[in-house]
Amino acid sequence: MAPPPFFHGGSPPPPPPPSSNPGQYIQQFLSNLLSQRGPSSLPYSEDSKWLIRQHLVTLTESYPSLAPKTALYTHADGRSSTLLQADGTVPILFHSATYNIPVVIWLLEPYPRCAPLVYVNPTRDMVIKRPHSFVDPSGLVSVPYLSNWVYPSSNLVDLARDLARHFARDPPLYSRRPPAPNPNPSFASSNDSVSGRPNQNPNPSFASSNSSVSGRPNPNPNPSFATSNNSPSGWPDPNPNPSFASSGNSVSVRPAIPPRSYPQSPYGSSGRQVGTEDPAEVFKRNAVNKLVESLSSDIGVLRKTREGEMEGVVSVQAALREREERIGRGVREMQGEKEALEQQLQMVSMNTDVLESWLRENGGKVKNVDVDDAFECCDVLSKQMIECTAADLAIEDVVYALDKAVQEGSIAFGQYLRNVRLLSREQFFHRATNSKVRAAQMGAQISSMAARASQLAV
């Protein structure tokens, strides 16, 4: 429930000259207000000021009882700003009679992109009906047109029509009028209707002369009992039957009260006596309402905070689960690598034991072993590879020696060229043979690896 607005005075448009058109004068007033710049300008966006002016002008044309003016509005957070409002009455038709409901329509800063705030503005002798379907105790109106406000199709004229339709269906105000003191006790003792109570005298002529002094219509359904239509309160009597008003003017003991600017609410014409509420009960009820509002707002804020925290916890939980899966995969991979390394370690340990045992057995037997006979080839390709590599390196050494000899002049240059040509041809054949042997060895190694892989797969 939104808090009621606080405003300090207002700035209605000055009264137009007698010769001027009121509509043009209001247009000029709004144009001057909305065209101001600087600190005194109204807090509306520049692209919406023209539309605000049009809304207010059409509203005053359709409902002359609603006048645009400015007033100081205090928001719930303590901010104060000067805003436009439409203050006045909305006419409604209730039980074949016309009544005016006082309202204030506030145009907040985001208007017209958001709906305005509408408050019923009861006078001192009016009370807001409780409970009411679309008006809270503070006077804030919440009709469906406001909740379904759509920019730019929604406007103030349609809003006023919607308010009039809802108010006519369920008026939000009723009159609260304390009983008038009687200056003549003897007269009141003989004429009960003067004190504001219904006349119980069965004599129609006596009731017909004293029914309207109380300022309220007589609830007696007998037409001869309700005679005066000139109620001192100044509120219109919705009874259109002229036979109900006959001779009450001669019995009035008070001067007539001038008419008020806001006619009587439809609930004021029913003639019911509204009792004065106990201030303690009113204070208790307001305190309970305020406490409930405070608790509701605190619970809403706490719920939003907890929802945000829960969303954060859920996201953290999802991230932790993902990390758990990654860590599990990493641990499994590391366990697999550990097992493979352990197998390789066992293999290396076994080979080391074999070599050490061979050295212990054959260490003393080997004597004067030729370097060329120290290594035995395991197959023909390996033997051919060693021979080709040795011949290639030997020819490289011979060519290097010939280069030195030519530089020192120990050999003729022509002889050097012939020897180098012969050695280069031989070295080419050895290198070609070496390449073919390496390719054959690579193919054999790939074949053995494929066969081993197939055995492991089986």
Side-chain angles (χ1 to χ4, degrees), residues 23-39:
Q24 294 180 356
Y25 198 78
I26 290 176
Q27 293 181 13
Q28 183 180 0
F29 169 74
L30 292 174
S31 299
N32 294 335
L33 280 178
L34 296 174
S35 61
Q36 292 179 359
R37 298 295 183 270

PDB file of all heavy atoms in Angstrom, residues 23-39:
ATOM      1  N   GLY A  23     -10.518  27.699 -21.382  1.00  0.00           N
ATOM      2  CA  GLY A  23      -9.708  26.659 -21.994  1.00  0.00           C
ATOM      3  C   GLY A  23      -8.388  27.207 -22.512  1.00  0.00           C
ATOM      4  O   GLY A  23      -7.322  26.615 -22.287  1.00  0.00           O
ATOM      5  N   GLN A  24      -8.426  28.346 -23.213  1.00  0.00           N
ATOM      6  CA  GLN A  24      -7.182  28.950 -23.702  1.00  0.00           C
ATOM      7  C   GLN A  24      -6.303  29.410 -22.549  1.00  0.00           C
ATOM      8  O   GLN A  24      -5.075  29.321 -22.621  1.00  0.00           O
ATOM      9  CB  GLN A  24      -7.517  30.119 -24.624  1.00  0.00           C
ATOM     10  CG  GLN A  24      -8.220  29.721 -25.903  1.00  0.00           C
ATOM     11  CD  GLN A  24      -8.532  30.918 -26.773  1.00  0.00           C
ATOM     12  OE1 GLN A  24      -8.285  32.066 -26.390  1.00  0.00           O
ATOM     13  NE2 GLN A  24      -9.096  30.661 -27.963  1.00  0.00           N
ATOM     14  N   TYR A  25      -6.929  29.890 -21.484  1.00  0.00           N
ATOM     15  CA  TYR A  25      -6.131  30.344 -20.347  1.00  0.00           C
ATOM     16  C   TYR A  25      -5.406  29.179 -19.678  1.00  0.00           C
ATOM     17  O   TYR A  25      -4.239  29.296 -19.284  1.00  0.00           O
ATOM     18  CB  TYR A  25      -7.044  31.057 -19.347  1.00  0.00           C
ATOM     19  CG  TYR A  25      -6.288  31.925 -18.376  1.00  0.00           C
ATOM     20  CD1 TYR A  25      -5.809  33.174 -18.763  1.00  0.00           C
ATOM     21  CD2 TYR A  25      -6.036  31.494 -17.074  1.00  0.00           C
ATOM     22  CE1 TYR A  25      -5.108  33.982 -17.888  1.00  0.00           C
ATOM     23  CE2 TYR A  25      -5.340  32.294 -16.186  1.00  0.00           C
ATOM     24  CZ  TYR A  25      -4.868  33.538 -16.600  1.00  0.00           C
ATOM     25  OH  TYR A  25      -4.166  34.321 -15.739  1.00  0.00           O
ATOM     26  N   ILE A  26      -6.084  28.012 -19.559  1.00  0.00           N
ATOM     27  CA  ILE A  26      -5.425  26.828 -18.986  1.00  0.00           C
ATOM     28  C   ILE A  26      -4.311  26.343 -19.902  1.00  0.00           C
ATOM     29  O   ILE A  26      -3.234  25.937 -19.434  1.00  0.00           O
ATOM     30  CB  ILE A  26      -6.469  25.727 -18.727  1.00  0.00           C
ATOM     31  CG1 ILE A  26      -7.384  26.142 -17.577  1.00  0.00           C
ATOM     32  CG2 ILE A  26      -5.799  24.395 -18.424  1.00  0.00           C
ATOM     33  CD1 ILE A  26      -8.495  25.169 -17.298  1.00  0.00           C
ATOM     34  N   GLN A  27      -4.527  26.390 -21.209  1.00  0.00           N
ATOM     35  CA  GLN A  27      -3.469  26.003 -22.137  1.00  0.00           C
ATOM     36  C   GLN A  27      -2.246  26.898 -21.976  1.00  0.00           C
ATOM     37  O   GLN A  27      -1.098  26.417 -21.949  1.00  0.00           O
ATOM     38  CB  GLN A  27      -3.988  26.055 -23.582  1.00  0.00           C
ATOM     39  CG  GLN A  27      -5.040  25.026 -23.907  1.00  0.00           C
ATOM     40  CD  GLN A  27      -5.499  25.118 -25.350  1.00  0.00           C
ATOM     41  OE1 GLN A  27      -4.864  25.792 -26.167  1.00  0.00           O
ATOM     42  NE2 GLN A  27      -6.593  24.442 -25.670  1.00  0.00           N
ATOM     43  N   GLN A  28      -2.482  28.198 -21.852  1.00  0.00           N
ATOM     44  CA  GLN A  28      -1.359  29.123 -21.667  1.00  0.00           C
ATOM     45  C   GLN A  28      -0.650  28.865 -20.335  1.00  0.00           C
ATOM     46  O   GLN A  28       0.578  28.904 -20.246  1.00  0.00           O
ATOM     47  CB  GLN A  28      -1.870  30.565 -21.744  1.00  0.00           C
ATOM     48  CG  GLN A  28      -0.765  31.612 -21.633  1.00  0.00           C
ATOM     49  CD  GLN A  28      -1.297  33.018 -21.721  1.00  0.00           C
ATOM     50  OE1 GLN A  28      -2.501  33.216 -21.873  1.00  0.00           O
ATOM     51  NE2 GLN A  28      -0.421  34.004 -21.626  1.00  0.00           N
ATOM     52  N   PHE A  29      -1.439  28.584 -19.283  1.00  0.00           N
ATOM     53  CA  PHE A  29      -0.858  28.291 -17.974  1.00  0.00           C
ATOM     54  C   PHE A  29       0.035  27.052 -18.037  1.00  0.00           C
ATOM     55  O   PHE A  29       1.169  27.044 -17.536  1.00  0.00           O
ATOM     56  CB  PHE A  29      -1.997  28.100 -16.964  1.00  0.00           C
ATOM     57  CG  PHE A  29      -1.541  27.535 -15.650  1.00  0.00           C
ATOM     58  CD1 PHE A  29      -0.837  28.305 -14.740  1.00  0.00           C
ATOM     59  CD2 PHE A  29      -1.841  26.217 -15.313  1.00  0.00           C
ATOM     60  CE1 PHE A  29      -0.426  27.774 -13.530  1.00  0.00           C
ATOM     61  CE2 PHE A  29      -1.440  25.689 -14.105  1.00  0.00           C
ATOM     62  CZ  PHE A  29      -0.729  26.476 -13.212  1.00  0.00           C
ATOM     63  N   LEU A  30      -0.450  25.985 -18.680  1.00  0.00           N
ATOM     64  CA  LEU A  30       0.354  24.758 -18.788  1.00  0.00           C
ATOM     65  C   LEU A  30       1.568  24.964 -19.685  1.00  0.00           C
ATOM     66  O   LEU A  30       2.655  24.438 -19.401  1.00  0.00           O
ATOM     67  CB  LEU A  30      -0.521  23.622 -19.320  1.00  0.00           C
ATOM     68  CG  LEU A  30      -1.631  23.133 -18.377  1.00  0.00           C
ATOM     69  CD1 LEU A  30      -2.508  22.105 -19.077  1.00  0.00           C
ATOM     70  CD2 LEU A  30      -1.027  22.516 -17.116  1.00  0.00           C
ATOM     71  N   SER A  31       1.411  25.728 -20.751  1.00  0.00           N
ATOM     72  CA  SER A  31       2.552  25.987 -21.635  1.00  0.00           C
ATOM     73  C   SER A  31       3.644  26.741 -20.898  1.00  0.00           C
ATOM     74  O   SER A  31       4.840  26.428 -21.039  1.00  0.00           O
ATOM     75  CB  SER A  31       2.092  26.768 -22.864  1.00  0.00           C
ATOM     76  OG  SER A  31       1.139  26.039 -23.600  1.00  0.00           O
ATOM     77  N   ASN A  32       3.265  27.728 -20.097  1.00  0.00           N
ATOM     78  CA  ASN A  32       4.272  28.475 -19.329  1.00  0.00           C
ATOM     79  C   ASN A  32       4.972  27.579 -18.313  1.00  0.00           C
ATOM     80  O   ASN A  32       6.190  27.667 -18.120  1.00  0.00           O
ATOM     81  CB  ASN A  32       3.613  29.668 -18.622  1.00  0.00           C
ATOM     82  CG  ASN A  32       3.101  30.703 -19.598  1.00  0.00           C
ATOM     83  OD1 ASN A  32       3.607  30.807 -20.726  1.00  0.00           O
ATOM     84  ND2 ASN A  32       2.102  31.478 -19.195  1.00  0.00           N
ATOM     85  N   LEU A  33       4.213  26.700 -17.637  1.00  0.00           N
ATOM     86  CA  LEU A  33       4.828  25.808 -16.650  1.00  0.00           C
ATOM     87  C   LEU A  33       5.801  24.828 -17.288  1.00  0.00           C
ATOM     88  O   LEU A  33       6.921  24.636 -16.817  1.00  0.00           O
ATOM     89  CB  LEU A  33       3.744  25.029 -15.893  1.00  0.00           C
ATOM     90  CG  LEU A  33       3.023  25.733 -14.751  1.00  0.00           C
ATOM     91  CD1 LEU A  33       1.961  24.821 -14.161  1.00  0.00           C
ATOM     92  CD2 LEU A  33       4.014  26.142 -13.670  1.00  0.00           C
ATOM     93  N   LEU A  34       5.374  24.181 -18.360  1.00  0.00           N
ATOM     94  CA  LEU A  34       6.173  23.122 -18.968  1.00  0.00           C
ATOM     95  C   LEU A  34       7.306  23.662 -19.825  1.00  0.00           C
ATOM     96  O   LEU A  34       8.173  22.891 -20.246  1.00  0.00           O
ATOM     97  CB  LEU A  34       5.273  22.207 -19.806  1.00  0.00           C
ATOM     98  CG  LEU A  34       4.219  21.436 -19.001  1.00  0.00           C
ATOM     99  CD1 LEU A  34       3.283  20.685 -19.930  1.00  0.00           C
ATOM    100  CD2 LEU A  34       4.892  20.452 -18.037  1.00  0.00           C
ATOM    101  N   SER A  35       7.297  24.953 -20.139  1.00  0.00           N
ATOM    102  CA  SER A  35       8.394  25.522 -20.932  1.00  0.00           C
ATOM    103  C   SER A  35       9.494  26.115 -20.068  1.00  0.00           C
ATOM    104  O   SER A  35      10.487  26.621 -20.608  1.00  0.00           O
ATOM    105  CB  SER A  35       7.845  26.604 -21.874  1.00  0.00           C
ATOM    106  OG  SER A  35       7.255  27.665 -21.122  1.00  0.00           O
ATOM    107  N   GLN A  36       9.355  26.080 -18.761  1.00  0.00           N
ATOM    108  CA  GLN A  36      10.391  26.628 -17.882  1.00  0.00           C
ATOM    109  C   GLN A  36      11.636  25.755 -17.913  1.00  0.00           C
ATOM    110  O   GLN A  36      11.564  24.541 -18.062  1.00  0.00           O
ATOM    111  CB  GLN A  36       9.858  26.742 -16.441  1.00  0.00           C
ATOM    112  CG  GLN A  36       8.768  27.781 -16.268  1.00  0.00           C
ATOM    113  CD  GLN A  36       8.254  27.835 -14.827  1.00  0.00           C
ATOM    114  OE1 GLN A  36       8.712  27.079 -13.979  1.00  0.00           O
ATOM    115  NE2 GLN A  36       7.303  28.726 -14.581  1.00  0.00           N
ATOM    116  N   ARG A  37      12.780  26.402 -17.743  1.00  0.00           N
ATOM    117  CA  ARG A  37      14.063  25.706 -17.710  1.00  0.00           C
ATOM    118  C   ARG A  37      14.811  26.120 -16.451  1.00  0.00           C
ATOM    119  O   ARG A  37      14.501  27.138 -15.838  1.00  0.00           O
ATOM    120  CB  ARG A  37      14.904  26.050 -18.949  1.00  0.00           C
ATOM    121  CG  ARG A  37      14.277  25.642 -20.275  1.00  0.00           C
ATOM    122  CD  ARG A  37      14.167  24.120 -20.375  1.00  0.00           C
ATOM    123  NE  ARG A  37      13.641  23.718 -21.656  1.00  0.00           N
ATOM    124  CZ  ARG A  37      12.355  23.555 -21.919  1.00  0.00           C
ATOM    125  NH1 ARG A  37      11.451  23.777 -20.966  1.00  0.00           N
ATOM    126  NH2 ARG A  37      11.959  23.184 -23.108  1.00  0.00           N
ATOM    127  N   GLY A  38      15.786  25.309 -16.089  1.00  0.00           N
ATOM    128  CA  GLY A  38      16.586  25.641 -14.924  1.00  0.00           C
ATOM    129  C   GLY A  38      16.063  24.969 -13.674  1.00  0.00           C
ATOM    130  O   GLY A  38      15.286  23.999 -13.722  1.00  0.00           O
ATOM    131  N   PRO A  39      16.453  25.476 -12.499  1.00  0.00           N
ATOM    132  CA  PRO A  39      16.052  24.828 -11.234  1.00  0.00           C
ATOM    133  C   PRO A  39      14.550  24.848 -10.987  1.00  0.00           C
ATOM    134  O   PRO A  39      14.026  23.997 -10.296  1.00  0.00           O
ATOM    135  CB  PRO A  39      16.793  25.651 -10.164  1.00  0.00           C
ATOM    136  CG  PRO A  39      17.911  26.336 -10.895  1.00  0.00           C
ATOM    137  CD  PRO A  39      17.414  26.585 -12.277  1.00  0.00           C
TER     138      PRO A  39
END
